Amino acid sequence: MSAPVVDTFGPVAPGTRSALPPAPEPHEEWSLNGGTAWVYYSPLNRRQLVRPVILSDGFSAGASSLDQLWNGLEENGDFRFVSELHATGRDVIILGYDDRTASITANADTAIDCIRRAVNERVGRSKLVVGGFSMGGLITRYALAKMENDPSLPDHETGLYLSYDTPHQGAWFPVAIQAFTHFATDNWGDTPALGPVLRQFSGLLNSPAAKQMSRWHLDRATGTPGQAPERVAFLKALDEVGGWPRNLRKIGVANGVATGADNGVKPGVTAVKGTGETLTDTWLKTQAQGDHEVARLQKTGGQPVAVRTSGLPDIDGAPGGLFVMPSAAGDTGSFGLAALLMTLLGNAVDPEVVTTSCFIPTISAVAAGDISDQQALYRPVTRDAGDLDAFLCAGRNEGHTTITEELGSWLVNEIVSSD
């Protein structure tokens, strides 16, 4: 059994990825230092790289999957992103990595290798478009800024940078779920049936990329949530290259609303509760402000463990891209994953489950505020806010990196007008 994980185009249920239809054969496949680029030429360009658009993968377990990426770009929404770019004469380069849990700075070197290759192979002088989905936007943001600040690196020759629901100000993964994952791994991580699932999920949370991306990280069930040292180091490295690439236009989209309207998840309520073969009265709550007990974890026959937070905002209900996972029983999400793990551990789960939560707050995706600030999270986002030159927020709070007609067509129009 494989673990449920967060992929660039949303979480994937166990066993789902293998069922995806295969992607079309790319026209070219570039072997890069630390990854692979799959090149799809526009039918208008006679198999020449004329107007390259590089789209980077983001965070997940293991190596990038072309089938999964193609499905997210072309089949998993109501807008066929690659096809629409091809229709405008843009050539699409899908950038993947050998290890999507590696540090952002390490995978940025792979992105630099891809950008350099695209510049060298391009016919004509059209500027590149470079960006990514989810953490892929951070990878390419750092890569472009590094290329501008390191004299040993070539000119990126990029005219437009784009990000799609990228955690510019950090991502949110509920502290209660992080604690439960580590607690379950500590207690049942060595069991033959569920051990590999638990260890992989816990390992994802403790990977270099997750630590750099998450605003609040918890390395063990009894730990204190905060910025991991890896995130502090990444933010310093990003600041050292100027924070952003400067010699281009920067745009982005958010899968959350700009109005400040919440997603319907209330703070401080029990999201999931399980009791049975391995757990006794174990529950997880949605995040609330103040000194707050977010989880009670108890192994059957053991002592309860209380997980507390202090000073965090009501972020589970904040406007933003949602942690959503399609499944046979209907869409679920972050707390739904915890309910699934409790069930797999042999417990009965209270049917009243809060399934999902905010994953990438709107103000993070458009770089318009500090997500630790309660007021900023729920304040309407104005057009002149943030570090991007232009951005668009979704008309509703929807699944993280869902490609919609609304957001996709806006990006394509921006790419066309960037010439």
Side-chain angles (χ1 to χ4, degrees), residues 14 17-18 32 44 56 82 85 87 109 121 128 130 142 190 217 224-225 297 305 314 324 331 355 360 372:
R17 187 182 299 136
S18 61
L32 305 170
L44 305 180
S56 169
V82 176
L85 287 172
D109 287 339
E121 304 232 350
L128 275 61
V130 177
Y142 179 81
D190 293 331
H217 176 259
T224 301
L297 313 172
V305 175
D314 300 341
V324 175
D331 286 353
T355 58
I360 309 298
S372 65

Side-chain angles (χ1 to χ4, degrees), residues 23-30 37-41 47 66 70 92:
E25 191 73 21
H27 297 118
E28 286 193 35
E29 182 173 305
W30 298 346
W38 296 282
V39 182
Y40 291 90
Y41 296 123
R47 299 213 174 181
L66 177 58
W70 184 269
V92 176

Side-chain angles (χ1 to χ4, degrees), residues 38-400:
W38 296 282
V39 182
Y40 291 90
Y41 296 123
S42 167
L44 305 180
N45 293 337
R46 299 181 181 178
R47 299 213 174 181
Q48 291 181 316
L49 196 64
V50 179
R51 293 176 172 175
V53 177
I54 298 175
L55 301 175
S56 169
D57 196 2
F59 174 74
S60 190
S64 296
S65 161
L66 177 58
D67 293 345
Q68 192 259 334
L69 287 167
W70 184 269
N71 183 71
L73 289 164
E74 281 285 284
E75 308 293 344
N76 201 26
D78 59 7
F79 188 80
R80 298 174 69 87
F81 200 56
V82 176
S83 296
E84 293 292 334
L85 287 172
H86 276 172
T88 69
R90 269 66 188 179
D91 308 298
V92 176
I93 303 170
I94 301 174
L95 172 59
Y97 304 98
D98 293 342
D99 181 4
R100 290 176 290 180
T101 68
S103 73
I104 294 170
T105 52
N107 279 334
D109 287 339
T110 304
I112 290 171
D113 194 17
C114 182
I115 294 167
R116 180 168 19 208
R117 177 80 178 262
V119 169
N120 290 339
E121 304 232 350
R122 174 195 52 182
V123 175
R125 303 298 299 171
S126 291
K127 293 282 190 178
L128 275 61
V129 175
V130 177
F133 292 77
S134 191
M135 197 179 73
L138 281 180
I139 293 170
T140 49
R141 170 183 163 185
Y142 179 81
L144 291 165
K146 183 178 179 179
M147 294 182 81
E148 290 182 354
N149 284 270
D150 187 339
S152 69
L153 295 174
D155 189 334
H156 55 59
E157 299 194 33
T158 299
L160 184 71
Y161 161 80
L162 67 87
S163 65
Y164 204 113
D165 216 37
T166 289
H168 290 296
Q169 299 293 334
W172 166 249
F173 199 78
V175 170
I177 298 173
Q178 294 189 58
F180 173 70
T181 302
H182 297 317
F183 176 81
T185 304
D186 290 342
N187 284 282
W188 299 285
D190 293 331
T191 60
L194 287 178
V197 175
L198 295 170
R199 290 195 302 273
Q200 183 184 12
F201 203 18
S202 184
L204 279 170
L205 293 176
N206 280 334
S207 68
K211 289 178 179 180
Q212 290 175 331
M213 180 174 65
S214 300
R215 174 58 181 83
W216 292 274
H217 176 259
L218 195 70
D219 60 355
R220 61 190 187 280
T222 56
T224 301
Q227 292 198 114
E230 290 85 351
R231 176 168 175 79
V232 174
F234 169 66
L235 293 176
K236 180 181 178 183
L238 188 60
D239 184 62
E240 288 173 349
V241 295
W244 293 88
R246 302 179 185 278
N247 302 326
L248 44 65
R249 179 172 167 79
K250 307 180 299 293
I251 64 172
V253 297
N255 285 115
V257 299
T259 63
D262 65 66
N263 60 31
V265 176
K266 303 304 179 187
V269 300
T270 300
V272 58
K273 181 177 181 180
T275 298
E277 181 182 333
T278 59
L279 298 172
T280 298
D281 192 23
T282 290
W283 47 259
L284 314 179
K285 287 187 176 181
T286 59
Q287 188 61 53
Q289 298 179 76
D291 185 9
H292 177 50
E293 187 172 358
V294 295
R296 181 188 188 276
L297 313 172
Q298 185 175 5
K299 182 180 179 179
T300 299
Q303 295 297 311
V305 175
V307 181
R308 307 194 70 87
T309 60
S310 180
L312 273 66
D314 300 341
I315 193 168
D316 281 316
L322 298 168
F323 190 117
V324 175
M325 180 180 77
S327 72
D331 286 353
T332 185
S334 52
F335 290 105
L337 288 178
L340 173 62
L341 291 176
M342 287 185 185
T343 302
L344 293 174
L345 287 167
N347 301 281
V349 175
D350 191 316
E352 297 298 321
V353 175
V354 176
T355 58
T356 192
S357 62
C358 178
F359 183 38
I360 309 298
T362 295
I363 60 171
S364 182
V366 299
D370 182 355
I371 68 172
S372 65
D373 184 335
Q374 171 75 18
Q375 292 186 333
L377 276 175
Y378 291 90
R379 185 184 299 130
V381 181
T382 59
R383 290 186 178 275
D384 59 349
D387 296 317
L388 297 171
D389 296 310
F391 62 82
L392 181 68
C393 299
R396 64 187 182 96
N397 295 310
E398 59 201 11
H400 171 55

